[in-house]
Amino acid sequence: MTPPVNSTTTSAQPTESETRDASELNSLNAQMIAILDFGSQYSELIARRIRETQVYSEVLSYRTTADQLRQLNPKGIILSGGPSSVYDDRAPLCDPEIWNLGIPVMGVCYGMQLMVQQLGGRVERAERGEYGKANLILDEATDLLHSIEPGSVMWMSHGDSVMEMPPGFHLLAHTDNTPCAAIADTKRKFYGVQFHPEVVHSQGGQALIRNFVYESCGCEPTWTTEAFVERSIREVKARVGDKKVLLALSGGVDSSTLAFLLHAAIGDNLTCMFIDQGFMRKGEPERLVKLFHDQFHIPVVHVQARDRFLKVVEGITDPEEKRKKIGHEFIRVFESESKRLGPFDYLAQGTLYPDVIESADTNVDPGTGERVAVKIKSHHNVGGLPKDLQFKLVEPLRKLFKDEVRKVGQALGLPDEIVRRQPFPGPGLAIRILGEITEEKLEILRDADLIVRQEVNKAGLYNEIWQAFAVLLPVKSVGVMGDQRTYAFPIVLRMVKSEDGMTADWARVPYDLLETIATRIVNEVKGVNRVVYDITSKPPGTIEWE
């Protein structure tokens, strides 16, 4: 963490990458809400909710200074939640000059407590914490709480509470356990909410966010798919010019949308390369190449590299090491193939915002190496990039959530077959096989995965489920088949519903569907004698098992 901020000091200077990302925001949209991240797992969800109002938003480090925010000129600022207590010696604090910018600010949970402390109020450990659902009792329905029904359920997650409001603030709402659940200084347009309006459990939470965005900040709905496509094509042309770009094509909605976007911007200067690393699902490599060649008329270089990747991950059981090894090997293959086909100046990747967030060591103190937010997992196209990368990266989608990418794909003319395709991880089946990867296990999982997809499609649930797939565990169990004892692998079925992949709930699919899938897998897939269903939500689990 950075040293604490008080009334006479300013926050630590952001890193070079943070400054670069901040400068990009100004060109993205003049109607922008800046979110300062204090380590909450919900920070990106706040950004997602704001974008639903057709206003651009982005998460920045809590170390972003008032001067940098002044240059960005956001219409509003939101301080996120976080795991710290504001009275701790090393609590992450924002630049106190933010309060003098004349910009509306809303603090959420920890962000509200930080606002209170820095402006002269008092925060203490509560006698009773409040976690989960709580009924909001309105004291004053101002512009922030306009259209919020009395008694609305809001999602709480805090052990500290505001005991004394700063000068100029008044009470908007409370709960049975929290005396200050929502507060405001309407003159300066400072607001604080102890609950999390961004989560789906908060009734009227999105209405509250809209009130802040439109009524308090005066934003206009300018963040649209059409505007993004036009701006991105213009920016790619300006950046790349007549240089050549190599695209890492996987066939998913992300890289396929990127292929269409880049092709619209630079035409024949784009080369799509599909690396068959041996971790794809059954029949997908052949389908992908044929689709792009025959239907889209975008040439694809098909590179067979199965043996190379299997050798790289041989004997590896740690999931982080798997991802990084695969990521490194991807780049090495691109480098060697580009020398044959190129030269290329740029490497394009379909990296999305959740990929960046989950891979990031967010808000790292350069002195101690401590983090405010915890890295969940590395993504092969983010955390696995080698330091001696031979390309400049082009990642026009890295600021988008998955549903936003689907809208961009539709605007560019991609067929539903790709636009509605369920997310598939870059390392593919390699992270759906727990433990060591072998060709035998890959074949087992490919066959099981195909059955899952076939039956989910047949049941008409494909577009209702965010992801439906199979996982192979590195254990064996005893079974009986044809009066014979078996000792074989179990398959885990994973089906979840989600809006953006940041949070997810397990899908309540019909028992008959589960029975059909389990029966087919046990009967048709050699080496499997047991099927189980994962009913864990995210959090606490992740969608993928590795």
Side-chain angles (χ1 to χ4, degrees), residues 195-345:
F195 50 89
H196 287 273
E198 69 274 17
V199 303
V200 69
H201 309 291
S202 290
Q203 296 174 349
Q206 184 63 10
L208 185 150
I209 290 173
R210 287 181 64 88
N211 290 340
F212 178 72
V213 168
Y214 286 117
E215 297 186 25
S216 301
C217 301
C219 290
E220 297 178 2
T222 58
W223 176 248
T224 65
T225 301
E226 293 74 16
F228 175 83
V229 170
E230 292 175 5
R231 183 185 300 111
S232 297
I233 290 175
R234 187 168 60 249
E235 289 178 353
V236 169
K237 285 181 177 179
R239 183 183 179 192
V240 173
D242 60 355
K243 302 293 178 59
K244 292 191 174 183
V245 178
L246 178 63
L247 168 61
L249 184 66
S250 69
V253 61
D254 307 334
S255 63
S256 297
T257 297
L258 181 56
F260 271 56
L261 183 67
L262 292 175
H263 197 256
I266 61 175
D268 292 340
N269 282 336
L270 170 68
T271 297
C272 294
M273 183 183 295
F274 169 63
I275 305 296
D276 186 356
Q277 87 287 52
F279 307 140
M280 296 293 288
R281 295 183 289 201
K282 198 159 191 171
E284 282 198 332
E286 297 78 14
R287 180 197 62 82
L288 169 66
V289 174
K290 182 177 177 60
L291 191 65
F292 268 76
H293 271 292
D294 297 350
Q295 186 171 331
F296 304 153
H297 307 295
I298 299 177
V300 177
V301 177
H302 187 185
V303 179
Q304 295 282 0
R306 295 190 177 195
D307 292 341
R308 183 168 172 172
F309 277 87
L310 273 174
K311 185 176 181 180
V312 164
V313 298
E314 184 178 359
I316 295 176
T317 59
D318 179 74
E320 274 294 284
E321 189 177 356
K322 274 187 198 176
R323 287 177 176 271
K324 290 183 177 180
K325 288 282 188 181
I326 292 170
H328 276 267
E329 196 63 18
F330 257 103
I331 299 301
R332 295 308 177 213
V333 172
F334 284 128
E335 288 176 343
S336 61
E337 291 296 320
S338 70
K339 291 176 182 178
R340 179 175 63 87
L341 300 169
F344 295 95
D345 299 279

Side-chain angles (χ1 to χ4, degrees), residues 6-210:
N6 55 43
S7 59
T8 60
T9 62
T10 58
S11 59
Q13 292 297 312
T15 64
E16 180 181 347
S17 62
E18 289 167 348
T19 302
R20 183 181 65 251
D21 285 345
S23 65
E24 290 176 359
L25 298 183
N26 214 19
S27 64
L28 280 170
N29 208 301
Q31 301 282 329
M32 191 264 285
I33 301 294
I35 301 162
L36 300 191
D37 179 21
F38 292 88
S40 172
Q41 297 295 336
Y42 295 138
S43 296
E44 295 71 43
L45 190 53
I46 298 175
R48 175 68 186 77
R49 296 302 181 216
I50 293 172
R51 293 188 192 186
E52 287 180 0
T53 70
Q54 292 190 310
V55 173
Y56 185 73
S57 63
E58 179 125 359
V59 179
L60 302 174
S61 168
Y62 73 90
R63 297 175 301 201
T64 304
T65 66
D67 285 341
Q68 289 173 319
L69 286 168
R70 188 178 289 109
Q71 292 173 9
L72 292 173
N73 193 29
K75 301 286 285 186
I77 299 170
I78 293 180
L79 309 182
S80 83
S84 303
S85 293
V86 295
Y87 46 76
D88 289 344
D89 290 339
R90 297 189 61 82
L93 309 178
C94 63
D95 184 347
E97 285 301 313
I98 286 173
W99 310 114
N100 299 322
L101 290 175
I103 298 174
V105 181
M106 181 169 72
V108 176
C109 197
Y110 177 88
M112 169 185 172
Q113 296 166 8
L114 177 59
M115 174 187 292
V116 166
Q117 176 177 276
Q118 289 194 326
L119 294 177
R122 181 165 52 89
V123 177
E124 293 181 358
R125 187 72 180 174
E127 288 187 12
R128 285 194 302 172
E130 197 169 28
Y131 303 93
K133 298 178 180 179
N135 294 102
L136 195 66
I137 304 169
L138 302 185
D139 294 281
E140 181 181 329
T142 66
D143 51 354
L144 186 68
L145 298 184
H146 173 64
S147 75
I148 305 300
E149 294 292 330
S152 293
V153 173
M154 296 297 177
W155 188 259
M156 293 284 189
S157 182
H158 66 101
D160 298 332
S161 286
V162 173
M163 300 301 178
E164 182 180 338
M165 290 182 288
F169 280 77
H170 60 277
L171 186 65
L172 300 182
H174 67 279
T175 70
D176 289 339
N177 290 329
T178 303
C180 295
I183 61 175
D185 179 338
T186 52
K187 183 178 180 180
R188 292 185 287 179
K189 294 188 177 180
F190 292 163
Y191 306 93
V193 293
Q194 186 58 71
F195 50 89
H196 287 273
E198 69 274 17
V199 303
V200 69
H201 309 291
S202 290
Q203 296 174 349
Q206 184 63 10
L208 185 150
I209 290 173
R210 287 181 64 88

Side-chain angles (χ1 to χ4, degrees), residues 476-488 528-530:
K476 289 186 177 182
S477 65
V478 174
V480 177
M481 300 176 71
D483 294 328
Q484 295 286 331
R485 177 186 184 275
T486 63
Y487 193 56
V528 176
N529 67 355
R530 191 179 299 271

